[in-house]
Amino acid sequence: MEKVLIFGHKSPDTDSICSSMVAEKLAKHYGLDAEAVRLGDLNNETEYILNHLRLEAPRKISEVEEGQKVILVDHNEKDQSVEGRDSAEVIGVIDHHRISAFETVSPLYYIAKPYGCTSTVLYEIFKRENIEIDKVTAQLMLSAIVSDTLLLKSPTCTEKDVEAFNELEKISGLNAKAYGLEMLKAGTDLSMYSADEIINLDAKEFTQNGKKAVIAQVNTADINDVFTRKDEIAFAMEKSISERDLDLYMFLVTDIINTNSKAVVLGNERSAVEKAFGKTIDENDSVFLEGVVSRKKQVLPQILEVL
Amino acid sequence: MEKVLIFGHKSPDTDSICSSMVAEKLAKHYGLDAEAVRLGDLNNETEYILNHLRLEAPRKISEVEEGQKVILVDHNEKDQSVEGRDSAEVIGVIDHHRISAFETVSPLYYIAKPYGCTSTVLYEIFKRENIEIDKVTAQLMLSAIVSDTLLLKSPTCTEKDVEAFNELEKISGLNAKAYGLEMLKAGTDLSMYSADEIINLDAKEFTQNGKKAVIAQVNTADINDVFTRKDEIAFAMEKSISERDLDLYMFLVTDIINTNSKAVVLGNERSAVEKAFGKTIDENDSVFLEGVVSRKKQVLPQILEVL
């Protein structure tokens, strides 16, 4: 049987990694020869999770061959997906994002719901199809939900995420709050990363009206910690702008304790951010965004609107 | 509460009408103020069904207003959808087609499966969510499955369609085969239609690499019956090509008894059809396609590939 590769987006976050591993189980349940893979290095948070759960990370790939059957989780947009996807065959998508820059020649399985986390969509499938959720699967899904909803505190968090979180905690054998805090904290340690790496830990590229934008995000327990490195971060962003011909680069530093963000904004379309939030970018190329923690809900649509 | 409009594609077929009515029930089950509407006139087959089941047709609309919340069934492509969709808010899609020319600003519910009929996707949702399927709902879904799969004979028909068909027959109180044949036969009576109307009964527009194509289809019990009117049909097609600036117009006449098709092919890209099927268009602008009954599976992908 032909192998099916399952993966999340480039610069994979915890949801992309964990949901691809869970989707592998789902695909195997339906008799597919499936393998979860990843499109980039693990971030600290995901590294912590897999160590803690004693699981091996999926194999890393950089492209797919023509005709390769693939299932996408946690993304659908071309810019965020694997190299070579245009000539691959997408047989399924499980996602929780807007749909854009995605098209197929044939019908496919496409299950997307406006929940806080791909794993919550997967959880619902397991439940509705009466597929047993084993302990490890529950731990992976729970970790993804903690990560994407910042322990249920993000405005993207829905009732469905809370419901899944509560059920999965029982099966997982974990103390979700204590484990979740450790996990999130592990993700905020940026000390071993270069500025180049930091701006790529969770960077998503978008194209709107021919304008190319990247919105990157890191979590922190203290915004000032990250801003002590603002100069080298801005330098790395400028380099990326000229190398990738970007019109806008927004780097969000999100305080997961106080649920605010401060962003460094560069590029010739940086006024789009000022318009989107009615704020002025200061002389340090920065803007403080009170109450903003969700790129998907509180940043991206606002900027797309302006662009 | 804000009203949500639910509709299938332009030139609605039975699946578009019946699935929108079924999806209205589903949406109401979840507490939405939903209304099924339609984007065009009923065809004879659907007219027969609604008469037989003593149901009123959904209200016809021609456009939607800015910000209108909508749920699409049985389609997603912009060219096939309502006027004004770009400024409407698509909150859900239930479909069984490829995805193309579809994008949103925000996350949404998108449930598509590669089944023979949208109503089979809906049937699965009702079953999985433990929502009771009443008699009328079963009749509507059964009618849609009969129509889209030509009584389970089309190559688009999957195991899931057969399973739904069998279950729904029990609930519906109908003799599915006898009813289905009557229904399909009612759809083949084209005598009261002008040529203009015939080519628009089930016409779908596609854009590929900037080339605009329409593939229209009618069912018949005897291909020759339709081809006695070939000249006026070709005239109507030529008119449509120049009015809509089309590169290709393919009009498929499908014999539902012997499961073959014969097509009239016009437009400056008509050689795409010759390449796609390795056949020559004859001096009557026609080509016979043995065993071809499904536009979605046996015609569209082949032509997209060539274009």
Side-chain angles (χ1 to χ4, degrees), chain A residues 259-261 279 288-292 298:
Chain A
T259 58
N260 295 311
S261 290
K279 294 227 167 188
F288 183 77
L289 301 170
E290 175 123 29
V292 168
Q298 298 173 296

Side-chain angles (χ1 to χ4, degrees), chain B residues 124-140:
Chain B
E124 245 187 36
I125 297 172
F126 275 75
K127 293 294 278 188
R128 296 289 185 277
E129 304 279 335
N130 277 318
I131 305 168
E132 199 206 333
I133 300 175
D134 61 41
K135 191 169 171 174
V136 171
T137 304
Q139 291 170 335
L140 287 168

Side-chain angles (χ1 to χ4, degrees), chain A residues 96-115 124 128-129 208 296 301 304, chain B residues 96-115 128-129 208 296 301 304:
Chain A
H96 69 130
H97 293 90
R98 73 180 190 124
I99 298 177
S100 181
F102 180 84
E103 68 172 58
T104 62
V105 171
S106 299
L108 74 163
Y109 289 89
Y110 199 111
I111 317 289
K113 302 198 174 183
Y115 299 166
E124 244 188 37
R128 296 290 185 277
E129 305 278 336
Q208 176 87 332
K296 186 165 83 167
L304 289 180
Chain B
H96 68 129
H97 294 90
R98 75 181 188 124
I99 299 176
S100 181
F102 181 82
E103 69 172 58
T104 62
V105 171
S106 298
L108 75 164
Y109 290 89
Y110 200 111
I111 317 289
K113 303 200 171 180
Y115 299 166
R128 296 289 185 277
E129 304 279 335
Q208 177 86 333
K296 187 166 82 167
L304 288 180

Side-chain angles (χ1 to χ4, degrees), chain B residues 1-4 27-28 30-34 69:
Chain B
M1 200 195 320
E2 220 180 322
K3 185 165 233 164
V4 177
K28 283 179 173 165
Y30 285 109
L32 294 180
D33 178 14
K69 283 188 174 13

Side-chain angles (χ1 to χ4, degrees), chain A residues 6-9 15-17 19-21 23 71-76 92-95 118 122:
Chain A
I6 304 177
F7 47 83
H9 52 75
D15 189 23
S16 272
I17 298 293
S19 287
S20 64
M21 295 168 79
I71 293 173
L72 316 181
V73 299
D74 195 30
H75 77 295
N76 66 82
V93 177
I94 301 169
D95 193 16
T118 307
L122 282 162

Side-chain angles (χ1 to χ4, degrees), chain B residues 255-273:
Chain B
D255 178 340
I256 58 170
I257 310 294
N258 303 300
T259 57
N260 295 311
S261 290
K262 191 171 171 184
V264 183
V265 188
L266 295 168
N268 55 39
E269 290 287 342
R270 70 205 290 245
S271 65
V273 173

